[in-house]
Amino acid sequence: MKQLLLFIVLGLMASLLTNAKIHPEKLRCEYLENPFVVDDLHPHLSWINVAGDGERAQLQTACQIRVASSLQNLEQADLWLSPKLNSTRVAYQGKDLQSRQECWWQVRVWDKNGDVSAWSEPGFWRMGILNDSEWKANWIGAPWQGEETLPKPMNPNAELPAELPPPAPMLRKEFRVQKQVKSAVAFVTGLGYFELYLNGKKVGNDVLVPNQTNYGKRPGLMNQNIPLPDDFRKYKVMYVAYDVTQELSGGDNCVGGILGNGFYNPAKYWAEGYGTPRFLLQLHISYTDGTEDLIVSDETWKAGKSPILMDMVYYGEHYDARLEQPGWCSPGFDDSIWEQVTLRKAPEGELVAHTARPDKVVQQLQPVRLEKMYNGNYKVDFGEEISGWVRLKNVEGPAGHKVEIRYLSNSYSGDNSYIFSGNGKENYAARFNWFVFREVEIVNWPGILNPEQIVAEVVNTEIPETAEFETSNPMFNAINKIWKRSQMDNMHGGVASDCPHRERSPYTGDGQVACVTVMHNFDARNFYQKWIQDIIDAQLVETGYVPNGAPWQPGCGGGVAWGAAICIMPWEYYVHYGDKDMLTDSYFAMKEYIRYMEQWIDADGIMLSQRTGKDGNVLRWFNLGDWVAPGNLPPDDMVHTFYFWRCADIAAKTAAALGEKSKEVKHYDDLAKKTKEAFFKRFYNEESGTYGPAGGNIFALKMGVPPEQFSKVIAALKKDIQKNDGHLDTGIFGTQFFFEVLSENGLHDLAYEAMNKKDEPGYGRWLDLGATTTWEHWNTTGSHNHPMFGGGLVWYYRKLAGIQTDEAEPGYKHLVFKPQPVEDISFVRYSNETSYGKAGIHWQKDNSNFSMEVTIPVGAHASIYVPCESSQTIKESGVPVNENSDIQYLGWNNGYSQINAGSGIYHFTVD
């Protein structure tokens, strides 16, 4: 730590001596800050550049990276000193990296004047175990359990399975350290969940690890209500690395683990299990004399039953503190009555590094209201619905006294109880399940419950919130807020679920429809890098079919638009983040899904999926079109054909972006054009001039209707909206495009009116009903925590605020600022961290005055459209735009003055 601080101080001093006007910050490896474990032999290193105050049109003209095996060796760069390059994301190309190797790195950059910055602050990553032969540990488990997963109920509403698991096993092993330790790193995993302990303390601040993946084979998949062959492209288990150097002691030590069932042994209708809990650990201890010890999980470990009487990810957790065994994970504990562990079968999944953010307790909420009810129970309100658990703090009760914690939401998320030990102050929170709640009811509390004794802990996959959005319309701010809460509530284990309580399943359709909104609010680079790979891994090898959920769970119903995630999500990721590697990794899978889709195309070029179930009949849950519209849904073949066109169009653009053979670009481009023409021919009603309500006209306009149809389709769409009293009439997929399609086709005021509705169907209706999350349906039925309708909210950022990226220069290298103000809104502010740094817009108007500030990050450039009349005067920082040398004024057209500019902050006024 002292050496790192010295490097930082020296770096700050060097930065004062350089003439460069930019410097690199926010160093990331595989989109993570100093990741503990990486197994990519050529990990990608990235950063952003920051300019000095007042700098404009700055850009990086070159960069250089140095990588070393230690902090001390950075100046020698004993692993890699790159040549001068010019990118802000570079794959490591130095010496071959070895298992468990530590890698320290820095970058320096040259600005537009050719001046070089000081070296950045150091970044770090550690390599994982790169060869299967280096794994010496064995999978172990509790001897009182067999290999097989628990049988599951076939009723989705079953509150408990017929058979419950035994108490969560605790595992332990003592060992001695007799030399001076240089470093110690534990490579460890446990299925479904685990916690690692060393010398009496929990290691790490993550929870619910490892992230969810398709762990291995499940022979019963073809017998499920939604049957699929177990023929997925890849199976994997993620392992974590912890630096435990500081946790070790000279002499006797003890390492321990607790196992939870998680999704490995769920016993729930929506899921299919793999087996009973199991654990794998390999602890490498390096000494200052160059020798090493290896502590591994094997049959010498011992197992005992924990106070966690029952833990199940769908059903909750019960805990009896009387059964606690103090010191169980410390040396010297008497484990004579514990049993020897049993060796467990290794899952079929490949062991891969957990180069992905885990779940964490990301926030604590204090009670906003606590009341004692008429029946003696306590009700505690935490203000908003979250996923997580409550923590009891410094509470006391008689030994054997049992309290229940009832988590209150409109869908069941599990039971929770705690039995007091009676040994003074006690603390408790669940470990291996999350609950969904705004309020909890505490049943049978002993005495008085005070607010300081209970706190709600918000738990989700760690995902940094990077955007700011605010308007003069409080309802829009609130809609954006409750969607973000719902989205985070549904992010666990490195996937996004449909709902965090009832199903907890990683639906691909819900994922693709909301992913653009997610990227406009969060740094989701690492999150989607993991989940999109899960979707690719879940593709069926033989047919190219992509399941409705990934990792696959056989309760996931869906259709063509769900599988289309394999095309849509990588493309949107590329457009938003500029990462071409994502397209490289996904292109083959895209083509394979299109191959699957083509079997359902009729002679007229129309797609209608009719995949059958295990009885040989067409199964609805394989073949949905759109979903949960407020009225009738559009025809399934219309939606299927639209998504076939969209996938072919994305494949063509992907092939072009990757520089694939022109033959492939042409093939998919022709396929997309042919499908579009078939769509127009089949679904356009010549007599009424419409493609129909419920999204029909929206889908057609998104594709780009023929010019001769345009005015009639617009008239029909306006008529449909008028018929619905200004409301939308679309399902989740139509809603994603509804608002933007209106704004792009001269109906911006109607888009605003629909977004501003406070009655059903409309986002504002949920707020009026007290919602703190977004719902599954526009009415009050179904789940009250579903983020899928968030797809429509991109209108806030791309149309109302008016900031977009250019597909031709993705990742916001070329920004387009084009706000579309409305009469009722006096200001909008939106910004986000792009791959080049912060980009943002803030416009405001007052009577006839309009001002607009835009922020363009270093290395990016922008086309700026300032709304005005042709007769008005536009100034930037007080200088008329046609006289300002910092910008290029292109003239006025169709309600906007157009300006080109490089990086910097620009202030425009309209007089």
Side-chain angles (χ1 to χ4, degrees):
M1 180 59 74
K2 290 181 179 178
Q3 292 173 335
L4 181 58
L5 290 174
L6 178 61
F7 258 93
I8 293 172
V9 170
L10 292 175
L12 290 173
M13 292 174 63
S15 67
L16 298 175
L17 301 176
T18 180
N19 291 322
K21 299 299 189 292
I22 62 173
H23 63 275
E25 290 186 355
K26 298 184 178 179
L27 274 62
R28 299 291 184 265
C29 173
E30 293 298 321
Y31 296 128
L32 293 175
E33 183 178 4
N34 302 330
F36 287 148
V37 62
V38 174
D39 57 9
D40 189 330
L41 296 176
H42 303 281
H44 288 85
L45 310 175
S46 58
W47 60 92
I48 65 168
N49 292 307
V50 177
D53 291 343
E55 283 293 315
R56 287 184 168 181
Q58 269 296 349
L59 69 156
Q60 173 188 296
T61 56
C63 68
Q64 187 175 39
I65 296 169
R66 62 184 183 187
V67 184
S69 58
S70 68
L71 193 61
Q72 300 93 318
N73 288 339
L74 265 173
E75 289 192 7
Q76 289 74 44
D78 60 333
L79 292 179
W80 187 39
L81 180 63
S82 79
K84 286 178 71 172
L85 307 167
N86 193 19
S87 176
T88 54
R89 184 171 182 267
V90 176
Y92 171 83
Q93 297 295 336
K95 293 180 182 178
D96 290 346
L97 298 175
Q98 306 302 312
S99 290
R100 304 184 289 114
Q101 185 162 21
E102 290 189 357
C103 302
W104 295 83
W105 70 286
Q106 291 176 296
V107 62
R108 60 178 178 175
V109 298
W110 281 258
D111 66 14
K112 69 177 181 180
N113 301 317
D115 292 323
V116 64
S117 73
W119 288 102
S120 68
E121 294 183 8
F124 169 84
W125 83 87
R126 175 185 292 108
M127 299 304 293
I129 297 176
L130 303 180
N131 301 299
D132 290 344
S133 62
E134 296 178 84
W135 280 103
K136 306 302 180 184
N138 293 295
W139 286 91
I140 59 175
W144 51 84
Q145 286 183 287
E147 287 278 358
E148 299 302 316
T149 186
L150 289 170
K152 71 176 188 178
M154 294 311 292
N155 177 4
N157 298 315
E159 291 192 1
L160 283 175
E163 181 182 345
L164 293 173
M170 301 186 295
L171 312 173
R172 71 185 306 273
K173 167 79 174 182
E174 292 196 25
F175 59 96
R176 287 185 61 78
V177 172
Q178 296 179 303
K179 301 179 183 180
Q180 186 175 353
V181 175
K182 178 183 179 183
S183 66
V185 179
F187 299 90
V188 57
T189 190
L191 299 174
Y193 296 132
F194 78 93
E195 289 185 343
L196 181 67
Y197 289 80
L198 189 59
N199 293 334
K201 296 181 180 179
K202 180 180 180 291
V203 178
N205 63 352
D206 45 18
V207 298
L208 301 173
V209 287
N211 276 355
Q212 187 180 354
T213 54
N214 193 1
Y215 309 114
K217 294 283 188 177
R218 291 170 288 176
L221 287 183
M222 279 301 290
N223 300 319
Q224 305 298 312
N225 289 338
I226 305 176
L228 282 182
D230 203 345
D231 176 38
F232 305 115
R233 193 169 298 286
K234 186 175 181 178
Y235 304 82
K236 63 189 177 189
V237 175
M238 304 183 85
Y239 66 88
V240 184
Y242 298 110
D243 186 330
V244 294
T245 308
Q246 301 303 317
E247 283 78 5
L248 287 183
S249 301
D252 292 332
N253 290 262
C254 180
V255 62
I258 305 179
L259 293 177
N261 290 285
F263 289 98
Y264 200 72
N265 193 28
K268 185 68 174 180
Y269 170 84
W270 305 105
E272 177 70 4
Y274 299 81
T276 52
R278 56 206 63 204
F279 181 77
L280 185 77
L281 173 133
Q282 193 154 303
L283 170 58
H284 291 262
I285 306 173
S286 300
Y287 299 108
T288 54
D289 67 359
T291 61
E292 184 173 284
D293 273 339
L294 184 62
I295 310 300
V296 300
S297 52
D298 58 21
E299 61 270 27
T300 66
W301 286 51
K302 300 191 81 172
K305 293 181 179 179
S306 78
I308 305 173
L309 302 180
M310 188 277 282
D311 70 277
M312 299 197 77
V313 73
Y314 286 97
Y315 301 109
E317 180 173 307
H318 299 289
Y319 190 94
D320 188 344
R322 296 173 300 176
L323 302 178
E324 291 177 344
Q325 300 182 56
W328 72 270
C329 55
S330 296
F333 173 78
D334 181 5
D335 62 6
S336 58
I337 63 171
W338 284 36
E339 301 178 54
Q340 295 301 132
V341 299
T342 188
L343 296 182
R344 284 274 175 258
K345 177 185 173 184
E348 291 83 359
E350 175 188 351
L351 284 167
V352 300
H354 205 295
T355 315
R357 289 191 176 95
D359 279 29
K360 289 187 176 181
V361 175
V362 298
Q363 186 182 5
Q364 287 192 333
L365 300 179
Q366 304 299 323
V368 298
R369 191 169 140 222
L370 187 153
E371 62 173 325
K372 191 167 187 178
M373 303 168 65
Y374 68 93
N375 57 5
N377 297 339
Y378 282 90
K379 181 179 281 191
V380 188
D381 183 356
F382 295 99
E384 58 183 318
E385 182 163 286
I386 64 166
S387 64
W389 46 65
V390 297
R391 180 171 295 278
L392 303 178
K393 301 167 61 179
N394 298 318
V395 297
E396 293 183 271
H401 187 88
K402 180 179 179 179
V403 297
E404 293 180 43
I405 305 169
R406 294 179 181 170
Y407 293 90
L408 306 181
S409 69
N410 87 313
S411 290
Y412 171 78
S413 64
D415 300 318
N416 196 197
S417 67
Y418 179 76
I419 299 175
F420 283 88
S421 70
N423 296 325
K425 303 288 186 181
E426 303 182 37
N427 296 274
Y428 168 73
R431 279 180 170 86
F432 299 130
N433 174 59
W434 69 85
F435 303 90
V436 180
F437 62 100
R438 169 179 171 168
E439 298 176 317
V440 295
E441 185 177 347
I442 308 297
V443 179
N444 197 32
W445 187 257
I448 298 174
L449 177 64
N450 296 310
E452 61 270 16
Q453 294 176 309
I454 187 168
V455 64
E457 295 189 331
V458 182
V459 176
N460 53 257
T461 299
E462 186 182 29
I463 182 166
E465 188 174 342
T466 53
E468 295 181 3
F469 172 75
E470 185 184 11
T471 79
S472 60
N473 184 327
M475 190 178 82
F476 286 5
N477 304 334
I479 291 168
N480 200 60
K481 179 182 178 181
I482 69 169
W483 172 80
K484 286 190 293 185
R485 169 53 64 201
S486 194
Q487 182 65 48
M488 288 187 288
D489 285 354
N490 277 277
M491 299 173 108
H492 293 280
V495 300
S497 61
D498 60 328
C499 55
H501 32 44
R502 184 184 69 209
E503 296 177 55
R504 304 176 185 233
S505 295
Y507 278 85
T508 47
D510 303 54
Q512 64 92 346
V513 79
C515 74
V516 183
T517 315
V518 173
M519 294 175 199
H520 275 83
N521 285 276
F522 301 95
D523 177 2
R525 294 165 176 83
N526 180 262
F527 179 86
Y528 283 124
Q529 191 174 51
K530 185 268 181 187
W531 192 24
I532 291 172
Q533 189 59 55
D534 291 337
I535 298 171
I536 294 170
D537 292 346
Q539 188 171 42
L540 297 187
V541 174
E542 182 178 348
T543 64
Y545 172 76
V546 177
N548 303 320
W552 172 240
Q553 292 292 9
C556 293
V560 173
W562 280 253
I566 207 163
C567 299
I568 295 167
M569 291 172 71
W571 177 253
E572 296 292 358
Y573 188 100
Y574 166 71
V575 169
H576 202 80
Y577 297 131
D579 183 347
K580 193 176 289 187
D581 294 310
M582 177 60 73
L583 298 185
T584 302
D585 295 342
S586 307
Y587 182 52
F588 176 75
M590 292 182 187
K591 294 191 293 182
E592 285 290 276
Y593 186 57
I594 292 170
R595 174 174 69 88
Y596 168 80
M597 298 169 86
E598 286 180 307
Q599 70 178 292
W600 305 111
I601 306 298
D602 68 15
D604 296 327
I606 298 298
M607 180 179 183
L608 179 61
S609 173
Q610 295 286 274
R611 190 179 180 94
T612 57
K614 57 188 176 183
D615 60 1
N617 295 319
V618 175
L619 181 61
R620 183 188 184 210
W621 301 114
F622 275 135
N623 303 295
L624 295 179
D626 210 336
W627 187 237
V628 291
N632 295 326
L633 291 166
D636 288 347
D637 55 352
M638 169 183 278
V639 180
H640 294 180
T641 305
F642 173 81
Y643 277 96
F644 182 60
W645 162 78
R646 197 169 179 211
C647 288
D649 182 60
I650 286 172
K653 293 188 290 189
T654 298
L658 293 176
E660 295 291 331
K661 296 176 182 178
S662 59
K663 184 177 180 180
E664 287 205 13
V665 178
K666 185 176 186 304
H667 169 73
Y668 290 110
D669 190 50
D670 288 348
L671 184 59
K673 289 176 180 175
K674 179 181 176 182
T675 304
K676 182 190 294 190
E677 291 168 1
F679 183 100
F680 294 154
K681 183 176 181 181
R682 172 69 65 87
F683 299 113
Y684 183 63
N685 186 317
E686 289 279 0
E687 184 175 342
S688 55
T690 183
Y691 288 87
N697 288 315
I698 296 295
F699 291 132
L701 286 164
K702 179 64 180 177
M703 298 171 85
V705 299
E708 65 273 15
Q709 296 177 3
F710 181 78
S711 60
K712 291 183 179 180
V713 172
I714 291 295
L717 178 57
K718 291 173 68 174
K719 185 177 179 181
D720 289 339
I721 294 171
Q722 184 179 16
K723 180 181 177 181
N724 294 313
D725 193 29
H727 293 84
L728 53 73
D729 62 349
T730 43
I732 60 172
F733 302 120
T735 298
Q736 178 187 9
F737 305 114
F738 179 85
F739 302 98
E740 289 194 304
V741 163
L742 292 181
S743 294
E744 289 165 1
N745 290 280
L747 304 177
H748 185 59
D749 287 345
L750 293 182
Y752 171 77
E753 181 185 355
M755 183 65 79
N756 202 38
K757 288 292 185 182
K758 297 179 177 62
D759 55 345
E760 186 183 318
Y763 298 99
R765 174 62 172 159
W766 296 335
L767 291 170
D768 281 353
L769 293 172
T772 61
T773 51
T774 52
W775 293 1
E776 181 179 16
H777 294 268
W778 294 113
N779 58 30
T780 58
T781 62
S783 155
H784 286 185
N785 201 324
H786 257 67
M788 60 192 184
F789 277 115
L793 301 187
V794 291
W795 178 84
Y796 285 152
Y797 329 119
R798 299 202 294 206
K799 301 304 177 186
L800 187 61
I803 177 171
Q804 298 194 55
T805 188
D806 178 357
E807 290 185 0
E809 297 184 68
Y812 294 89
K813 184 174 182 63
H814 177 212
L815 291 128
V816 179
F817 294 101
K818 192 174 184 180
Q820 293 183 247
V822 293
E823 184 176 349
D824 293 343
I825 299 285
S826 61
F827 78 87
V828 177
R829 179 188 297 113
Y830 172 74
S831 65
N832 197 10
E833 284 287 333
T834 75
S835 296
Y836 293 89
K838 181 179 178 179
I841 184 170
H842 177 198
W843 62 257
Q844 49 190 337
K845 61 185 180 68
D846 178 19
N847 298 322
S848 60
N849 297 319
F850 182 87
S851 64
M852 184 169 117
E853 177 183 285
V854 301
T855 301
I856 306 166
V858 172
H861 64 106
S863 298
I864 304 166
Y865 295 81
V866 182
C868 62
E869 300 296 331
S870 60
S871 58
Q872 292 180 295
T873 300
I874 316 300
K875 295 180 180 178
E876 193 285 308
S877 297
V879 180
V881 291
N882 58 350
E883 300 174 10
N884 193 320
S885 60
D886 287 345
I887 60 177
Q888 180 186 15
Y889 177 62
L890 302 179
W892 182 93
N893 183 49
N894 198 24
Y896 291 91
S897 284
Q898 185 177 349
I899 295 145
N900 288 346
S903 65
I905 299 174
Y906 299 86
H907 306 267
F908 296 97
T909 56
V910 179
D911 299 323

